Structures are given as structure tokens and as C-alpha cells.
Amino acid sequence: MISKPEMEQTMRLALEEAKLAYDAGEVPVGAVLVCGGEIVARAHNRVERDHDATQHAELICLREAMALHGNRLADYTLYVTLEPCAMCAGACVNAKLGRLVFGAFDDVAGCCGSRMDLTDKCFLHSVETWGGILEDDCKALLTRFFQALR
């Protein structure tokens, strides 16, 4: 079991990544992938930069880890500032991710408990999931970004 202070500490690193996305004009989502207390990958959204709808922070981290360590990430924990969408939740399941920790819930497109839950017993693999870690901080950055677009 991961302690709440540990979750918050690593989520702050994911928030740093989200701020990089914000500064680059991307939807401010950041992710950090950890195994055995060590950071394996860090990323933020690069959809606009790369002109590629699959360049979500979660997928970038998962791809990097699987390229180095194979496609079974049962000992890994992914921290992400926003509840993953269907694409990213599905990737977590298919990568056999051990744990997922996210910040803000996404009532519009969240697929780890809000709109639906693809990580819990829908498929052969379930991902242990915690949501709402530093939720206010994660939500504030997203709100500021979308208000600036209006």
C-alpha cells in the first residue's frame, strides 16, 4: 500500500509536468511512472506539438517504460493529474499496470470511475486505482487553462 504523503509527493511531480504542458499551450496533464520508488518516466501532453491525438502524458510514460522493460508493468504505479480517458485507461489495462493514482476526476471523459470504469474487472486485468490525490491543485490548473481559452 502506498501512503497518502507518498502519493501526494509524486503527484506534485506530475503537476510540474502538467505546468510544462500548460506553458506549451497543451491541455495541462502530467504523468509520472514509478517502480520500486524510482521514477521510470515523466511526461506531459504533446497532442498539439506532435499533431497526434495519442500523445497523452499517460501513454508517453507507458510507451517509454515498455520499450525498456517489456509490456507487463505490474510493479509500476502511474501518477496522472487527470483521470484517464478511455484510450489511456485501456492502455493501463493492456500494459498490466499495477496501480494508477490520479488527481482530478473527469466527469466528461474519465474512464476510471467517473463516466465508466475500464480499470476494474471489465477485462482480464484490473488496475488498482486511487483518485482525488491533490485534486484541487490538479483541477485548478485545468480550470485556468480552459478559462483562458474562452
Side-chain angles (χ1 to χ4, degrees), residues 63-76:
R63 285 183 190 126
E64 190 174 318
M66 289 185 289
L68 296 171
H69 306 285
N71 64 344
R72 298 195 185 275
L73 303 178
D75 295 330
Y76 293 70

Side-chain angles (χ1 to χ4, degrees), residues 75-97:
D75 295 330
Y76 293 70
T77 303
L78 180 64
Y79 293 82
V80 62
T81 57
L82 179 64
E83 179 181 0
C85 67
M87 175 178 67
C88 294
C92 289
V93 169
N94 285 314
K96 308 280 190 282
L97 183 70

Side-chain angles (χ1 to χ4, degrees), residues 122-140:
C122 287
F123 304 101
L124 291 176
H125 179 74
S126 295
V127 180
E128 198 175 317
T129 304
W130 291 276
I133 304 301
L134 297 183
E135 181 176 15
D136 291 341
D137 295 338
C138 295
K139 192 182 291 186

Side-chain angles (χ1 to χ4, degrees), residues 23-135:
D23 292 342
E26 299 277 356
V27 174
V29 176
V32 175
L33 186 63
V34 176
C35 184
E38 299 294 321
I39 295 172
V40 175
R42 295 173 66 133
H44 55 273
N45 279 3
R46 297 191 320 223
V47 172
E48 300 301 326
R49 185 195 88 175
D50 295 351
H51 306 286
D52 181 346
T54 68
Q55 289 291 67
H56 288 197
E58 303 96 303
L59 290 183
I60 296 166
C61 282
L62 293 173
R63 285 183 190 126
E64 190 174 318
M66 289 185 289
L68 296 171
H69 306 285
N71 64 344
R72 298 195 185 275
L73 303 178
D75 295 330
Y76 293 70
T77 303
L78 180 64
Y79 293 82
V80 62
T81 57
L82 179 64
E83 179 181 0
C85 67
M87 175 178 67
C88 294
C92 289
V93 169
N94 285 314
K96 308 280 190 282
L97 183 70
R99 286 157 301 287
L100 170 68
V101 178
F102 66 86
F105 287 86
D106 184 351
D107 295 333
V108 174
C111 288
C112 299
S114 290
R115 296 291 294 171
M116 62 181 64
D117 193 348
L118 298 178
T119 61
D120 186 29
K121 300 179 181 101
C122 287
F123 304 101
L124 291 176
H125 179 74
S126 295
V127 180
E128 198 175 317
T129 304
W130 291 276
I133 304 301
L134 297 183
E135 181 176 15

